[in-house]
Amino acid sequence: MSEHVHIRVGNGTGFITLDRPRALNSLSLDMVRAMTAALLAWRDDHDVAAVVVRSTSEKALCAGGDIRFFHDAGRATPQGGSALLEDFFTEEYALNHLIHCYPKPYIALMDGVVMGGGMGIAQGGPRCAVRIVTNRTKMAMPEVNIGLFPDVGGSHFLSRAPGSLGVYLGLTGLTIGAADALYVGLADHYVPDTELAALSDLIGSTSGGGLREAVATFARPLRAGAGDSPLLAHRALIERHFGHASVPDIMASLRDDDDPFARQALGAMEQRSPLMMCVTLELLKRGARLGVADCLRMERTVVRRTFEHGEVLEGVRALVIDKDNAPRWNPPALADVTDAMVAQLFEPAWPDHAHPLRHL
């Protein structure tokens, strides 16, 4: 088990509490394993009727995977890949699948930062998801900023966002708040921070079997407090630009628009990995046609290829290790990215019978 994950059962509810505040609950392999073990134990336990995932800190539910670990493990054996790195992504994606398909209500308190891997442990499937955002929620899939792509099931849940909203979120990596999360379909309920203590009391005093409806009833009158969605206000602009079929066409379209929202999106994309933006767009196109298990298997292949390429190692170096914010992307310019480069990252890394996620 992990010292950073507290597990307990009370009143028919299993509680998973993340407690790694200095790292904004960034997921380690031990944390992934602790969560997986608890969820597997409770899946067929008739004494546990619901699960709650939360944090000890108001700053974050989870800021993602431990990218410093990614860098150190990847650099140790950059060509063949680290065994621990391989284990991390295989087990993290298996956890994402377990959560998506969980047979009991899975209540995620998405207070504070919820990004990358944090989204993977919060985005339950339609049968189980009870996703709560607050006025402090800062949600994003920012992987293109570190030379990666929206993984942890992002190819599934972003590709199913309305219209081109998932493409916008995946390519820009920009942060959204509660109103946008609700509008995009990445959250179900809004509860302001002033009501979180009351929500906690409700969760503690309600039996697990009645928790889904109790939370919905509690949150229903609070929803208007989330405010208006900026993405809704700019929906026509997003569709006009992000509906194009290629990243170069999207960016060319944005360059012709002086709207501040378009300028912000373009400015963000100009800082991202050109290769990984193109990979992300292809990933979302493919993911729209796949079920969640196949999406995760595809992502597992692409993440293996991405570490072999080295783009993510450079991105983490620039953002976290050296902190120079000057990544040397390969290739450095969007015009240099070819279809063959993108396709190479989707090439199978294992035969089907040996894929690490073949049993999903």
Side-chain angles (χ1 to χ4, degrees), residues 238-261:
I238 291 170
E239 296 301 330
R240 184 165 68 250
H241 299 307
F242 287 87
H244 287 287
S246 72
V247 175
D249 287 346
I250 291 170
M251 295 185 73
S253 183
L254 287 168
R255 289 191 182 97
D256 289 335
D257 193 333
D258 290 330
D259 187 286
F261 190 91

Side-chain angles (χ1 to χ4, degrees), residues 9-64:
V9 175
N11 202 14
T13 299
F15 292 91
I16 298 175
T17 306
L18 305 185
D19 185 19
R20 196 187 181 191
R22 291 184 63 183
L24 298 180
N25 294 328
S26 294
L27 295 172
S28 66
L29 181 56
D30 283 347
M31 293 169 71
V32 167
R33 288 175 172 173
M35 292 187 68
T36 301
L39 290 172
L40 288 174
W42 295 335
R43 186 169 56 184
D44 300 316
D45 186 341
H46 297 300
D47 292 330
V48 177
V51 173
V52 173
V53 177
R54 60 190 180 180
S55 167
T56 59
S57 170
E58 66 184 33
K59 293 183 178 180
L61 172 64
C62 175

Side-chain angles (χ1 to χ4, degrees), residues 156-185:
H156 189 266
F157 60 75
L158 287 185
S159 68
R160 282 155 178 78
S164 301
L165 293 175
V167 174
Y168 164 80
L169 293 173
L171 294 186
T172 66
L174 292 172
T175 301
I176 60 174
D180 282 335
L182 291 164
Y183 175 61
V184 175

Side-chain angles (χ1 to χ4, degrees), residues 49-353:
V51 173
V52 173
V53 177
R54 60 190 180 180
S55 167
T56 59
S57 170
E58 66 184 33
K59 293 183 178 180
L61 172 64
C62 175
D66 188 342
I67 60 176
R68 188 176 288 272
F69 159 72
F70 297 169
H71 179 270
D72 293 346
R75 290 280 294 176
T77 52
Q79 298 305 313
S82 160
L84 287 176
L85 197 62
E86 292 287 298
D87 288 348
F88 178 87
F89 285 107
T90 296
E91 296 185 40
E92 182 188 29
Y93 294 2
L95 172 61
N96 301 148
H97 185 265
L98 175 63
I99 290 169
H100 182 90
C101 301
Y102 212 63
K104 303 174 181 182
Y106 182 89
I107 300 159
L109 298 177
M110 297 191 286
D111 190 26
V113 174
V114 189
M115 298 183 181
M119 288 288 284
I121 63 167
Q123 292 296 316
R127 289 180 54 216
C128 67
V130 182
R131 302 162 298 177
I132 302 167
V133 288
T134 77
N135 51 297
R136 297 188 296 230
T137 298
K138 297 177 181 177
M139 180 182 291
M141 291 298 287
E143 288 82 358
V144 288
N145 195 36
I146 59 164
L148 199 55
F149 58 89
D151 63 337
V152 297
S155 62
H156 189 266
F157 60 75
L158 287 185
S159 68
R160 282 155 178 78
S164 301
L165 293 175
V167 174
Y168 164 80
L169 293 173
L171 294 186
T172 66
L174 292 172
T175 301
I176 60 174
D180 282 335
L182 291 164
Y183 175 61
V184 175
L186 297 174
D188 303 298
H189 304 298
Y190 171 77
V191 177
D193 60 344
T194 54
E195 297 293 334
L196 288 177
L199 176 63
S200 180
D201 289 342
L202 175 75
I203 290 172
S205 62
T206 304
S207 66
L211 206 48
R212 184 200 291 269
E213 184 54 41
V215 169
T217 300
F218 178 87
R220 195 171 292 119
L222 303 172
R223 189 181 180 101
D228 298 328
S229 163
L231 293 184
L232 172 59
H234 294 95
R235 179 67 184 276
L237 181 152
I238 291 170
E239 296 301 330
R240 184 165 68 250
H241 299 307
F242 287 87
H244 287 287
S246 72
V247 175
D249 287 346
I250 291 170
M251 295 185 73
S253 183
L254 287 168
R255 289 191 182 97
D256 289 335
D257 193 333
D258 290 330
D259 187 286
F261 190 91
R263 295 281 100 188
Q264 181 190 35
L266 178 63
M269 292 176 69
E270 287 175 338
Q271 302 302 312
R272 309 316 190 207
S273 162
L275 175 60
M276 297 318 296
M277 284 194 296
C278 294
V279 167
T280 293
L281 185 57
E282 177 65 18
L283 192 87
L284 296 182
K285 290 177 181 178
R286 296 189 186 200
R289 304 188 297 269
L290 301 174
V292 67
D294 283 331
C295 279
L296 288 163
R297 280 189 279 263
M298 172 178 63
E299 292 174 12
R300 185 63 187 85
T301 294
V302 179
V303 80
R304 168 67 176 268
R305 296 301 189 197
T306 302
F307 272 89
E308 289 174 354
H309 177 279
E311 192 79 334
V312 62
L313 300 178
E314 173 58 18
V316 175
R317 179 207 63 77
L319 186 71
V320 176
I321 306 302
D322 297 338
K323 299 182 180 180
D324 57 22
N325 292 312
R328 296 181 289 272
W329 299 127
N330 178 27
L334 189 59
D336 298 326
V337 179
T338 66
D339 291 344
M341 291 177 187
V342 174
Q344 186 174 10
L345 296 187
F346 288 84
E347 284 294 319
W350 309 270
D352 289 346
H353 68 268

